[in-house]
Amino acid sequence: GEAHDHHHDELPKHWLADKFVPLFVCMFFFLALINLMGLIPGSTTASSAITFTAGMALITLSVYGVGAFVMSIRQEGGIAAGIFGFFKNLVPYHFSWKPMDLMVWVLLFLIEFAGFIFIKPFALMVRLFANMTAGHCSLLSFLFINLLVPSEGWRIATGVPTVAMGVGLYALEIFVSILQAYIFTYLSAIFLGLYLVPEH
């Protein structure tokens, strides 16, 4: 009976998680494909443009923002109560009208709300953009470093190790392309779970 009750309690959470699996699978494969296509010589990586990564972060913000409001309204049983419930769940501190408690609550609310609206999407956007741009810059730096060498003979001598390092860096970029797609998707899933199923 106890195990059955525990299983029954867990069902809604699993049901909710299953609803978002297609979104996160699509997000991962889309980003991995975009990142890998950018490694084709002569092409450009879309995820090294800040506008693209901002758009992807806005998708995550929209999903967990709207989802958090909808879940609060469903749990609290009304629009006004749901909005109040959302703000109550946003702050991991008991609300009280005592001056000190109220000050702490307001301060935590400002931090959490800034994290909800700005900090978390900004972190997603910058992490993907910076990693993809840095990889391309490093690769180009290695490949064109021997152009700084004035002597033709030395260019051949420096060209062999720089091209070898460039090949190694290119292989690393293939790994980073898939890793960054995974990290973006993983963090998006964490943020979604944080606001849709608050622990406090």
Side-chain angles (χ1 to χ4, degrees), residues 6-122:
H6 177 72
H7 177 69
H8 180 71
D9 289 339
E10 289 297 316
L11 273 177
K13 289 185 182 181
H14 290 303
W15 172 82
L16 188 63
D18 290 345
K19 286 286 180 186
F20 290 99
V21 168
L23 170 72
F24 292 125
V25 169
C26 180
M27 186 181 282
F28 170 75
F29 282 108
F30 174 69
L31 284 173
L33 183 65
I34 288 289
N35 293 345
L36 290 171
M37 282 175 67
L39 295 177
I40 298 168
S43 67
T44 307
T45 308
S47 49
S48 63
I50 195 81
T51 49
F52 174 83
T53 58
M56 292 300 296
L58 280 173
I59 289 171
T60 300
L61 170 62
S62 302
V63 171
Y64 75 65
V66 173
F69 272 108
V70 169
M71 287 299 293
S72 291
I73 289 165
R74 287 176 70 176
Q75 286 168 1
E76 302 291 333
I79 293 173
I83 291 169
F84 176 76
F86 165 76
F87 288 122
K88 185 181 73 177
N89 285 330
L90 197 63
V91 180
Y93 188 76
H94 181 67
F95 182 81
S96 170
W97 287 107
K98 292 177 184 175
M100 204 61 189
D101 286 350
L102 189 61
M103 272 177 49
V104 171
W105 192 92
V106 169
L107 184 64
L108 284 172
F109 172 77
L110 292 173
I111 293 166
E112 291 289 341
F113 193 72
F116 180 85
I117 294 292
F118 180 72
I119 297 168
K120 286 179 172 68
F122 184 78

